[in-house]
Amino acid sequence: MSTAGRPRRSCLAVPGSSVKMLGKAQGLGVDQVFLDLEDAVAPLAKSDARRNVVAALNEGDWGGKIRAVRVNDVTSPWAYRDVVDVVEGAGANLDCLMLPKVQNAGHVEWLDLTLTQIERALGLPVGGIGIEAQIENAAGLVDVDAIAAASPRVETIIFGPADFMASINMRSMVVGALIPEYPGDPYHYILMRLLMAARAHDRQAIDGPFLQIRDVDGFRASARRSAALGFDGKWVLHPGQIDAANEVYAPSQQDYDHAELILDAYEFHTSAEGGRRGAVMLGDEMIDEASRKLALVVAAKGRAAGLRRTSFFERPN
């Protein structure tokens, strides 16, 4: 499975300035880690953080996790050196670069071109390092379709809630939670807009962090809202959030079994042996081609999460 198609139920943020946390993250049960050079690193610590990140990528045992590095945004004085130092230093052990505060397709195109030049210079496979585009303000949301289509390297579209809330003057200081004064979900439009752009261009959609790290119930509630829409995963900032993310963004055992049964039943009934029927009953449920498409999504997520079937289709006599 390509990196783009691998599960990203839990995406752990790890400050590049902390050697201790870079080491601890390697043993945690997350699908992806991103080693952060941006907001989690003070300006005076950027250079040391780059060296820490390169060493962790080259010397660490990441156990099959997706390995990403969040560089600084393209308008900052650190972005170019982030990309050059990390890719030249550890490009062979890097899956993706995460680009924050993406406001237009040109930001992604710059990173794509820079990566191509470095890959060619180093003899790395051109296009082998993916891009994760983080949308954190109104301009990025308005241009998200062009951003998602800006490069074949783009693998994920990510919601950055804290900066986004600030950019639109949202009246809340609790990142990722509902706002009691608002009669609904204030993030619903934003999440759906990001999701539509991601799916239209075959990208994954990742929800941003829930900052109250001790409130696991709050994290779970936030995750369930984006998972219900179809998001693939969510950032985790603390080990206590990992199990909740892995659970919420994977199908339940019951749903997974049901999806596999639909696929088996549909395959049989549409075959010559099964009567070449396009719409049939599975118990009390009518299934057809649309059912098969839905079942494919759930079954794929269950398989990627390592679920195993506990029920099987029995062909009628």
Side-chain angles (χ1 to χ4, degrees), residues 205-252:
I206 305 299
D207 194 7
F210 184 82
L211 299 189
Q212 310 301 313
I213 61 173
R214 304 295 181 186
D215 183 4
V216 178
D217 289 340
F219 173 89
R220 190 183 301 273
S222 176
R224 282 174 173 162
R225 289 193 293 273
S226 62
L229 299 179
F231 271 63
D232 297 286
K234 186 174 179 67
W235 280 14
V236 294
L237 304 181
H238 186 271
Q241 298 176 331
I242 294 172
D243 288 346
N246 288 342
E247 173 194 329
V248 169
Y249 291 98
S252 67

Side-chain angles (χ1 to χ4, degrees), residues 1 5 7 251 256 259-260 263 294-306:
M1 183 181 292
Y256 171 65
E260 294 284 17
L263 294 177
L294 285 170
L296 280 173
V297 172
V298 175
K301 286 182 177 290
R303 294 167 190 168

Side-chain angles (χ1 to χ4, degrees), residues 22-239:
L22 288 168
K24 182 177 180 180
Q26 296 172 37
L28 297 176
V30 294
D31 292 335
Q32 173 177 314
V33 292
F34 72 88
L35 315 184
D36 195 13
L37 296 175
E38 198 215 11
D39 285 350
V41 178
L44 295 180
K46 300 286 187 185
S47 295
D48 287 343
R50 292 187 197 112
R51 289 190 286 271
N52 294 341
V53 164
V54 168
L57 289 170
N58 289 335
E59 301 167 13
D61 180 3
W62 296 98
K65 300 174 181 64
I66 299 172
R67 302 155 299 176
V69 173
R70 182 166 72 161
V71 299
N72 286 272
D73 77 271
V74 299
T75 67
S76 75
W78 306 290
Y80 170 74
R81 184 51 57 191
D82 286 345
V83 175
V84 172
D85 286 2
V86 169
V87 179
E88 287 188 347
N93 297 310
L94 177 67
D95 296 309
C96 297
L97 286 182
M98 184 184 298
L99 189 62
K101 299 177 177 62
V102 178
Q103 299 186 50
N104 56 65
H107 289 185
V108 175
E109 291 165 356
W110 169 81
L111 182 55
D112 181 303
L113 180 59
T114 304
L115 283 171
T116 297
Q117 292 174 328
I118 299 173
E119 287 167 340
R120 286 176 175 163
L122 297 179
L124 296 172
V126 174
I129 298 172
I131 294 174
E132 301 193 320
Q134 189 175 12
I135 307 301
E136 301 187 73
N137 60 27
L141 187 67
V142 169
D143 206 36
V144 68
D145 286 301
I147 290 168
S151 166
R153 294 180 188 266
V154 176
E155 298 186 6
T156 68
I157 301 296
I158 305 167
F159 179 38
D163 280 282
F164 198 99
M165 292 164 67
S167 81
I168 63 172
N169 296 334
M170 186 176 284
R171 296 178 62 182
S172 175
M173 291 297 293
V174 182
V175 176
L178 298 181
I179 301 174
E181 294 81 9
Y182 183 80
D185 184 348
Y187 306 105
H188 181 78
Y189 168 75
I190 302 166
L191 292 173
M192 285 298 292
R193 187 69 190 85
L194 297 176
L195 181 65
M196 293 305 102
R199 294 296 185 253
H201 300 284
D202 196 27
R203 316 305 191 198
Q204 292 189 348
I206 305 299
D207 194 7
F210 184 82
L211 299 189
Q212 310 301 313
I213 61 173
R214 304 295 181 186
D215 183 4
V216 178
D217 289 340
F219 173 89
R220 190 183 301 273
S222 176
R224 282 174 173 162
R225 289 193 293 273
S226 62
L229 299 179
F231 271 63
D232 297 286
K234 186 174 179 67
W235 280 14
V236 294
L237 304 181
H238 186 271

